[in-house]
C-alpha cells in the first residue's frame, strides 16, 4: 500500500482530540508535523499515522496557533522546492529536462494533496477566517514561484515544448503524453484558469503555428497542383485537429484550427482555384469529383469560401452552356444541341451530388445558370420541341418506352427553364400535327401539363382527337 493510501485509510479510525497543549509544548507538536511533512514531500515512508498527524494539526489550530502552522508549513514547502526540486530540475536542463520536471511535479502534487488532507481543519477555520490561500492553492503558488518562474526553467520549458511541436509537425515521433502532462501542469498552476498557461506557452505556440502554416502554404502552392494542395491541406487539418485534441487544453484547439484555416486555406483560396492547369475550372472540365469534394469540404468553413466556389462554378457552367447554345460557324443539328445540354445538366447534377453534397446554394446556382444559358438563344424553344419530336418518333422502334420516358423527364427540366413558353407551345403544336403516336403523345401531354398549364394540355388533347384515326383515338 503506498503512503498516500495508508494515510487516507487511517481516517476511518480518528478518535476525539484531547487537549494536549498542557502536556506537550506547541513546538514539539509542530516539530513532529514538520518531520512528517518533509518525508511526505520527499515521497518517503512516514512513521506517524494520518490520525496522529491530523490531531496535531487540529490541536494547533484549535488552540489559536493556526498562524504558526500556516507559516511554518509554507516554510517547509518553500525549503523543499528551493533546496531539492529546483536543484534537480536545473541539473537536468541539458538532459531529460521535461521528464525530470514532470516527475517532480507529479510527486509534489501528490504530496500536496496528502498535506491538504492533514491540514483540512486549518483550511476550514484559520484560512477562511483570514482570507488566505488554502493548502493546495498555496502549494501551487509556491511551485510556480520557486520552480516554474525560475528564468532558466521557464525558458527551457517553453523551448522544449515548442521544439516538440515542430518535431510532431515534421512527422517525427514525440512523447505526446509528456507534452499533454506539461500543458495540464500549466493549467493546474493557473488554478484551472488558462491565463498562466497562455502566458507560459500558448501565446508563443500560436505565433509559431501561424508562421509554420504561412510557410507551409507557400511551399505547397509552389510545389504542387491544386489537387495535391487541397488534399495535403485536408490531411494536415485532420492531423492537427487530432494532435490538438490529444495534447493541449481545449481552448488551444479552436485557436490553432482558426490559424490553420486562415493561413493554409482562406489566404490561398483564390490562387488555388485559379491555377490554369489544375484549378477548379480544370477540375470541372475533367470531372474530378473527388478533388472538388475535397475542395468543397476545405473551403466551406472559410469566410467567403463557398462564394468563391459558386462564382467559379457559375462562370464555368455559363461558358460550357454558351458554347452549346450560341450559333457556331459550323451549324449544329438542333437535336444534338439539346442532347449536349442534357448531358451538361447531368454532369452538373453529378457535381451537385458527389462533390457539393446537395448543398442548397450550389443547387440554386446551377438551376439559375441553366435558366440563363437556355434563354441565351431565342431558338431554344424550337430546338426543345424538335428534340421532343425526334424522341417521340423513335419511340417503339429505336428506343424502348422506358428509355423514351426517362429522356423526356430530363427534357422537361429544360422546358421549365424556358422563359418564352408561348413560342415552345406553338412549335410543339406544329410538330404534333406532323406525327401521330397516341400512347406516347398522351404520356407527353401529362408531362407538359404541370409545366405549360392545363389550357395548353387540353388543346393538345383536342388536337389528338381531331388528328387520330377513329381506332387510335385516345381515352383522355
Amino acid at each position: 500500500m503506498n503512503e498516500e493510501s495508508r494515510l487516507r485509510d487511517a481516517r476511518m479510525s480518528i478518535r476525539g482530540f484531547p487537549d494536549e497543549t498542557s502536556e506537550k509544548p506547541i513546538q514539539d507538536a509542530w516539530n513532529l508535523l514538520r518531520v512528517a511533512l518533509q518525508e511526505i514531500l520527499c515521497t518517503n515512508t512516514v512513521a506517524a499515522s494520518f490520525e496522529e498527524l491530523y490531531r496535531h494539526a487540529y490541536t494547533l489550530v484549535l488552540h489559536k496557533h493556526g498562524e504558526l502552522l500556516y507559516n511554518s508549513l509554507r516554510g517547509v514547502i518553500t525549503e523543499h522546492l528551493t533546496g531539492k526540486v529546483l536543484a534537480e530540475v536545473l541539473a537536468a536542463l541539458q538532459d531529460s529536462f521535461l521528464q525530470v520536471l514532470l516527475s517532480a511535479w507529479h510527486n509534489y502534487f501528490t504530496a500536496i494533496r496528502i498535506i491538504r488532507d492533514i491540514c483540512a481543519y486549518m483550511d476550514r477555520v484559520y484560512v477562511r477566517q483570514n482570507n488566505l490561500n488554502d493548502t493546495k492553492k498555496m502549494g501551487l503558488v509556491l511551485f510556480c514561484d520557486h520552480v516554474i518562474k525560475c528564468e532558466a526553467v521557464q525558458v527551457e520549458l517553453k523551448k522544449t515544448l515548442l521544439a516538440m511541436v515542430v518535431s510532431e509537425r515534421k512527422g517525427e515521433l514525440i512523447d505526446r503524453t509528456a507534452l499533454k502532462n506539461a500543458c495540464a501542469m500549466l493549467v493546474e498552476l493557473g488554478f484551472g484558469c488558462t491565463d498562466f498557461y497562455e502566458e507560459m506557452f500558448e501565446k508563443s505556440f500560436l505565433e509559431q503555428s501561424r508562421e509554420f502554416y504561412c510557410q507551409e502554404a507557400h511551399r505547397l502552392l509552389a510545389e504542387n497542383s491544386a489537387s495535391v494542395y487541397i488534399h495535403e491541406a485536408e490531411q494536415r487539418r485532420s492531423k492537427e485537429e487530432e494532435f490538438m485534441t490529444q495534447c493541449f487544453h481545449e481552448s488551444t484547439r479552436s485557436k490553432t484550427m482558426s490559424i490553420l484555416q486562415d493561413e493554409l486555406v482562406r489566404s490561398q483560396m483564390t490562387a488555388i482555384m485559379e491555377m490554369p492547369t489544375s484549378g477548379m475550372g480544370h477540375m470541372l472540365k475533367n470531372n474530378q469529383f473527388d478533388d472538388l469534394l475535397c475542395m468543397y469540404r476545405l473551403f466551406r468553413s472559410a469566410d467567403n469560401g463557398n462564394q468563391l466556389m459558386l462564382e467559379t462554378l457559375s462562370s464555368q457552367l455559363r461558358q460550357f452552356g454558351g458554347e452549346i447554345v450560341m450559333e457556331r460557324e459550323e451549324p449544329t443539328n438542333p437535336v444534338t444541341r439539346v442532347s449536349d445540354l442534357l448531358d451538361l445538366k447531368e454532369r452538373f447534377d453529378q457535381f451537385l451530388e458527389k462533390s457539393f453534397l446537395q448543398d442548397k446554394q450550389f443547387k440554386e446556382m446551377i438551376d439559375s445558370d441553366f435558366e440563363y444559358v437556355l434563354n441565351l438563344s431565342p431558338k431554344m424553344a424550337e430546338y426543345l420541341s424538335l428534340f421532343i419530336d425526334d424522341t417521340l418518333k423513335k419511340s417503339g422502334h429505336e428506343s424502348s418506352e422506358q428509355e423514351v420516358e426517362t429522356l423526356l423527364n430530363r427534357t422537361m427540366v429544360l422546358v421549365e427553364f424556358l422563359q418564352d413558353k408561348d413560342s415552345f407551345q406553338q412549335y410543339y403544336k406544329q410538330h404534333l400535327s406532323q406525327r401521330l403516336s397516341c400512347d406516347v403523345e398522351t404520356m407527353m401531354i401529362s408531362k407538359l401539363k404541370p409545366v405549360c398549364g392545363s389550357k395548353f394540355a387540353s388543346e393538345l388533347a383536342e388536337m389528338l382527337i381531331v388528328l387520330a384515326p377513329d381506332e387510335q383515338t385516345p381515352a383522355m
Side-chain angles (χ1 to χ4, degrees), residues 246-471:
Q246 184 173 346
C247 296
F248 302 99
H249 187 267
E250 57 185 11
S251 64
T252 306
R253 176 186 168 278
S254 59
K255 297 173 186 176
T256 307
M257 298 312 294
S258 177
I259 289 173
L260 183 151
Q261 191 76 0
D262 283 346
E263 299 298 332
L264 206 58
V265 180
R266 185 187 58 77
S267 63
Q268 307 298 335
M269 288 190 300
T270 301
I272 294 168
M273 285 196 292
E274 292 180 355
M275 285 185 174
T277 59
S278 63
M280 186 173 176
H282 177 85
M283 294 176 185
L284 289 167
K285 288 177 183 177
N286 292 278
N287 298 330
Q288 294 174 230
F289 297 105
D290 291 341
D291 289 340
L292 287 166
L293 174 60
C294 181
M295 179 179 285
Y296 171 73
R297 286 175 171 165
L298 198 64
F299 288 5
R300 66 178 173 180
S301 56
D303 293 341
N304 207 39
N306 259 16
Q307 186 58 37
L308 285 174
M309 292 192 74
L310 286 166
E311 290 172 1
T312 302
L313 179 74
S314 176
S315 173
Q316 290 295 311
L317 198 160
R318 292 189 178 205
Q319 177 185 333
F320 298 157
E323 292 172 356
I324 295 171
V325 169
M326 299 304 291
E327 293 293 340
R328 309 174 192 177
E329 293 182 3
E330 297 182 4
T332 306
N333 185 313
V335 173
T336 302
R337 289 197 185 194
V338 175
S339 180
D340 290 346
L341 270 180
L342 289 174
D343 290 342
L344 183 65
K345 182 66 169 66
E346 185 175 11
R347 274 181 62 206
F348 275 78
D349 284 345
Q350 289 181 8
F351 286 134
L352 179 63
E353 178 184 353
K354 298 178 181 180
S355 302
F356 307 125
L357 307 179
Q358 297 291 352
D359 189 305
K360 183 179 178 182
Q361 285 184 298
F362 284 79
K363 183 180 187 310
E364 291 174 351
M365 178 65 75
I366 290 172
D367 288 347
S368 174
D369 288 331
F370 262 100
E371 181 175 353
Y372 168 82
V373 165
L374 200 67
N375 291 285
L376 282 174
S377 171
K379 293 186 177 182
M380 288 311 299
E382 179 184 4
Y383 291 172
L384 280 170
S385 180
L386 285 170
F387 181 82
I388 294 172
D389 182 67
D390 181 73
T391 302
L392 292 174
K393 286 178 178 177
K394 293 177 180 177
S395 175
H397 52 93
E398 293 186 33
S399 303
S400 68
E401 185 175 337
Q402 183 61 47
E403 290 172 336
V404 169
E405 183 169 10
T406 300
L407 189 56
L408 291 175
N409 285 336
R410 292 171 58 201
T411 308
M412 294 311 300
V413 175
L414 299 185
V415 175
E416 288 186 44
F417 292 143
L418 269 181
Q419 294 172 356
D420 187 9
K421 288 189 174 63
D422 290 341
S423 295
F424 170 77
Q425 292 172 13
Q426 292 175 5
Y427 284 120
Y428 192 86
K429 289 178 181 178
Q430 176 184 335
H431 296 140
L432 173 62
S433 67
Q434 298 171 7
R435 67 174 184 269
L436 192 60
S437 180
C438 290
D439 290 340
V440 289
E441 295 294 351
T442 301
M443 176 184 69
M444 190 61 202
I445 291 172
S446 68
K447 295 182 184 298
L448 288 168
K449 184 175 181 179
V451 177
C452 298
S454 299
K455 182 180 178 182
F456 178 60
S458 298
E459 291 174 355
L460 295 181
E462 292 174 2
M463 286 182 65
L464 280 184
I465 293 172
V466 171
L467 294 172
D470 291 342
E471 64 274 13

Side-chain angles (χ1 to χ4, degrees), residues 4 43 53 59 112 132 292 297 395 424:
E4 183 178 1
T43 66
L53 297 175
T59 302
I112 287 297
L132 300 170
L292 287 166
R297 286 175 171 165
S395 175
F424 170 77

Side-chain angles (χ1 to χ4, degrees), residues 95-104 175 178:
D95 182 34
S96 304
F97 165 76
L98 190 58
Q99 286 74 17
V100 171
L101 176 62
L102 291 176
S103 177
D175 187 347

Side-chain angles (χ1 to χ4, degrees), residues 230-246:
I230 58 178
H231 284 285
E232 287 279 347
E234 186 174 48
Q235 186 177 42
R236 172 64 72 177
R237 185 171 67 175
S238 177
K239 287 182 178 179
E240 191 77 351
E241 190 158 14
E242 185 265 338
F243 181 42
M244 292 299 105
T245 301
Q246 184 173 346

